[in-house]
Amino acid sequence: MKIKFILNENEVSIDVDPMKRLLDILREDFGLTGTKEGCGEGECGACTVLLDGKPVTSCLVNAVHIDGKEVMTSEGIAQEPLGKLLIDCFDETNAVQCGFCFPGFLVTSYHYLITDGEKNPDKIKKALSGNICRCTGYQKIFESVMLACERKPLISTDQVN
Amino acid sequence: MKSIRKIDAIPKLNGSWKFLDDYSYEEMIHGQLLYSTCHHGTIKKIHFPDGYNLSEFTVVSAANIPGENIVPEPVCDQPYMADKEVFHFGQVIMGIAHPNRKLLREFIRKIKIEYEELPAIIDIKECLENEDNVFGKELIIDHRTGRKPDPNWIHHHKIYYTPHQEQAYLEPQGMIAVWQPKEKIMFVRATCQCPFFVKEGVETIMGSAIKEAVIETSEGIGGAFGGKEDFPSLLAGITSLLSYKSGKPVKIVLEREDDIQITTKRHPARIEIETWTDPETRKIMKIYIDYRLDAGAYQTLSPVVLARGVLHAISGYSIPDAYIRGRLFRSNTPSNGAFRGFGAPQAFAAMEAHVESIAADMNINPYKFRRKNIFRIGNEFPTTQPILENNLSDCLERVIEKSNYLQKLEEFKEWNKTHKDKKGIGISIGYHGGGYTGNGEKVLNSEVKVVIEKDATVKIYVANTDMGQGAHTTLAQMFFEAIDHPREKCLVQLPNTSKTPNSGPTVASRTIYIIGNLLRRFALKIKDELGFENLDDYVSSNQNEFPREFRMKFVQDPSVVFDEENYVGVAYKDYSWAACVTEIYFHADTYQIELTKSWNVIDIGKVVNQKIAVGQAEGGILQGLAYGLCEFFYKAGYGRMHGFSDYALPTTMDLPEIDVEFIHTDSPIAKGLGEIPMDFPAPSVRNAFHNATGIFIDEYPLVPERIFKSLTADERR
């Protein structure tokens, strides 16, 4: 099946098995290995990407679901001003341990930042509850996202747009 | 204490840091393991499914092994692959490879194996209750005085159970083997804790078919927690054999379900404790501990876990008369192995519950009872090792003070009188001996190497891996801080067994404690030998001396003398100490325990990097709390869990506020940190639940089902 979609702001097309998982398409066909497979059943969130602006676990999304849609991965988000802000905050708090889950956390945190962004621990906890981290105990991840919420207004709107 | 940023944080965040599955080699094919679904039996026939071109597959089994079919371990009793008889569910029978990963999975799923089934022990209690299942060497710490208990001493006798725990590293086990026939070298890319264990594993299975195995880790190791200590040896062996037979690079990455079902877990334990307490002095006078571990089908490294278990079994209490026995029990389940804590969390689970029970029974405040019995200078461990510091007691005092424990105890008591839901607060303490047990570090004889380049860059070569704990940042920091060299000029190299000396495995809270402190001394020694004030200046004015290589070996302190036959002497040179207070809110309608706050005071001596240390402590504490609260791995009638859907890992929604404070940080020595955060927190949950409801539950985890049963049983009584 031939599909077209927008990947990290670039239009791409590919001839692919309609049931191939988005996770495998990203990793195998586009070499975007930032998206990780932690469980393959939509539980751990390591493979989270944005699909039309919403966070989804790419291990549960098939090629047929992405035709004509927009996909944003951690690599794409890392280039965005708010993505850069988040990366800097995660780095500053030394939140990253093994790092396997972090591209997923980056995507989910980025989504929270663009859709809400309030510096509110309960909201942040809820927003991140679909991502599992086994190393950090989550505390430093909250601290980082709280910090990003605080600094978000310092990123100019021009840059965000 | 400088919180320098981690060297690998940015590439991990933007996705450019490579984990095992992110590596690819030309013509690489994919492998998977075919394992037993029978608990015990002889293999009668293996049926491959129709409709596949078998010539496209590479298949290896025990019959193809050119070397030995025994995985190198402290006790070498586990084969890489079963020959005729399988002894547990999940025992590997074959390695199979094919260029197409998806087709390979489909093929393996359709393979049918006929067994002649034999009797099997799969239930934890069935295994641990029956002394006929004992295997391996019994360990005994005999510190008896021969004195008979006074008639007025109060006798307590209880049995405690702890379950399996899954490491749940986010990156599954994986291995890539690349056979290089010209050089007869088997190159292996590994996600592992111990590259030299993997090397031995590959060289054992391959025998004289290869000249050497060279192991290099992946850049990223996606968590390990002990789970990547010994299983990688088996996996690397089979992956190598597949590469050897196919002539192609082979990658095996385990599916999460396979990883959960067949790899090593924390040992389930049954710990029986008898104590005699003097009601006048409120001192525990005599103790007997029977510490049992379900090792699984093979001993592998369980004897070492057992050793640490018995050495921590008494918790932090000075008891004049002690007898501790530790035994391994065999079951028809996959071998259990290393998991952060390594036998100590089970020990504290039992003893920290037991002291709580004594205190409750004698109507003594649990803190005051602990304070009465806690280790102090002048006391000794049951091995006769003297206690040289009051730091455990300092941890306890500090955590009681900062959590406002005594006042909360009263407040909650009042609050609970008028509410159906209940609030509770509980204490636990713990400690962890740093490095290998007893004479282990002497035997390891760790060596490190540095190369100073012409531009004064220092390349550090150690076999210890960075699996998220930040070791490569902290190790480099210990070196460059000692000689005041710029951070960017001091880098730990990716471990590779052909370039890196054997500085031992990344286990036993030894990386910073043994290797880090060694690197610090090494830096000072080089400075002294070369006689420089500033390394940059020295190198630029003595260019002809560089690049230059330096090596140094670890020398154990002479005070560490341990009699491994009789379990007498100094088991660990330095201990990290900790105490914890946890608050819970018990939802009476749903039988759920909600963790609200956990205070933790830990003594790890000198803190090299404050943020890294706090982060590691927080992560370990949540693992520890979850061990007591929600992580349920095996259920009679259901079997093992299958993935993250049925194995309940804590998420952000389960997280209490975690407070971590390090004390005695002015110590010159950086002690072990890796494991202690996992050791001590779990009993505080159980003790807080007792404080809230008056009910003792002597088995983890405290899931609503267990609480419901326990509460209703209590009503029936």
Side-chain angles (χ1 to χ4, degrees), chain B residues 248-321:
Chain B
K248 295 195 166 116
V250 176
K251 181 200 276 183
I252 297 186
V253 173
L254 291 195
E255 300 269 306
R256 179 58 65 178
E257 182 175 344
D258 294 342
D259 195 316
I260 286 200
Q261 297 232 315
I262 74 169
T263 65
T264 59
K265 312 286 160 234
R266 186 184 305 292
H267 295 73
R270 174 198 185 276
I271 301 172
E272 186 172 355
I273 304 181
E274 268 189 274
T275 48
W276 289 263
T277 309
D278 183 340
E280 299 298 317
T281 61
R282 297 176 169 188
K283 292 270 294 172
I284 306 170
M285 300 304 292
K286 183 179 168 73
I287 190 164
Y288 166 83
I289 301 177
D290 177 5
Y291 180 103
R292 304 179 179 185
L293 295 178
D294 173 353
Y298 300 99
Q299 289 189 54
T300 64
L301 55 66
S302 296
V304 194
V305 178
L306 187 70
R308 198 173 274 276
V310 297
L311 287 165
H312 291 71
I314 202 163
S315 187
Y317 306 106
S318 169
I319 303 171
D321 186 326

Side-chain angles (χ1 to χ4, degrees), chain B residues 77-373:
Chain B
D77 62 347
Q78 175 177 237
Y80 288 88
M81 291 181 273
D83 193 359
K84 293 185 181 68
E85 190 171 356
V86 291
F87 290 90
H88 63 84
F89 174 96
Q91 182 155 23
V92 180
I93 297 169
M94 284 176 174
I96 307 178
H98 188 274
N100 184 324
R101 210 179 213 179
K102 199 174 156 204
L103 189 134
L104 174 67
R105 281 178 201 162
E106 202 183 272
F107 176 76
I108 290 183
R109 239 174 258 144
K110 288 182 187 163
I111 295 174
K112 296 255 180 306
I113 308 173
E114 275 180 55
Y115 301 95
E116 187 176 326
E117 296 214 21
L118 296 164
I121 300 156
I122 52 168
D123 186 70
I124 297 168
K125 286 196 180 159
E126 193 189 337
C127 163
L128 289 171
E129 297 296 344
N130 187 348
E131 298 193 28
D132 292 344
N133 299 328
V134 170
F135 70 154
K137 189 181 164 198
E138 178 171 355
L139 299 182
I140 291 171
I141 303 177
D142 189 352
H143 194 275
R144 285 177 294 187
T145 59
R147 179 180 167 183
K148 279 203 173 137
D150 283 4
N152 67 326
W153 290 357
I154 301 175
H155 180 225
H156 289 91
H157 183 185
K158 274 192 155 193
I159 301 172
Y160 304 89
Y161 296 92
T162 63
H164 288 99
Q165 189 180 18
E166 160 64 33
Q167 292 88 350
Y169 31 72
L170 260 278
E171 179 202 35
Q173 300 270 4
M175 210 59 70
I176 301 172
V178 185
W179 171 231
Q180 298 164 359
K182 268 191 208 152
E183 301 85 7
K184 286 185 86 177
I185 283 176
M186 186 65 74
F187 174 80
V188 174
R189 173 85 57 196
T191 172
C192 69
Q193 295 174 229
C194 319
F196 281 89
F197 285 4
V198 175
K199 179 178 164 72
E200 198 186 347
V202 173
E203 288 173 354
T204 303
I205 193 173
M206 297 308 302
S208 56
I210 66 170
K211 195 177 121 221
E212 193 193 352
V214 172
I215 317 302
E216 183 167 290
T217 71
S218 41
E219 273 183 327
I221 293 170
F225 315 112
K228 293 175 186 169
E229 175 169 343
D230 68 344
F231 187 81
S233 305
L234 182 146
L235 188 61
I238 297 170
T239 314
S240 297
L241 198 51
L242 281 168
S243 180
Y244 179 75
K245 191 168 175 196
S246 66
K248 295 195 166 116
V250 176
K251 181 200 276 183
I252 297 186
V253 173
L254 291 195
E255 300 269 306
R256 179 58 65 178
E257 182 175 344
D258 294 342
D259 195 316
I260 286 200
Q261 297 232 315
I262 74 169
T263 65
T264 59
K265 312 286 160 234
R266 186 184 305 292
H267 295 73
R270 174 198 185 276
I271 301 172
E272 186 172 355
I273 304 181
E274 268 189 274
T275 48
W276 289 263
T277 309
D278 183 340
E280 299 298 317
T281 61
R282 297 176 169 188
K283 292 270 294 172
I284 306 170
M285 300 304 292
K286 183 179 168 73
I287 190 164
Y288 166 83
I289 301 177
D290 177 5
Y291 180 103
R292 304 179 179 185
L293 295 178
D294 173 353
Y298 300 99
Q299 289 189 54
T300 64
L301 55 66
S302 296
V304 194
V305 178
L306 187 70
R308 198 173 274 276
V310 297
L311 287 165
H312 291 71
I314 202 163
S315 187
Y317 306 106
S318 169
I319 303 171
D321 186 326
Y323 187 83
I324 303 161
R325 69 192 301 208
R327 288 173 295 169
L328 298 177
F329 284 61
R330 187 203 303 263
S331 65
N332 297 96
T333 61
S335 304
N336 293 306
F339 189 165
R340 195 179 203 173
F342 212 73
Q346 294 93 323
F348 294 118
M351 193 57 191
E352 284 304 295
H354 194 75
V355 291
E356 197 80 8
S357 303
I358 304 175
D361 199 38
M362 294 174 64
N363 203 17
I364 312 171
N365 175 304
Y367 152 63
K368 289 178 181 159
F369 185 62
R370 281 183 174 83
R371 194 172 63 171
K372 198 77 168 164
N373 288 280

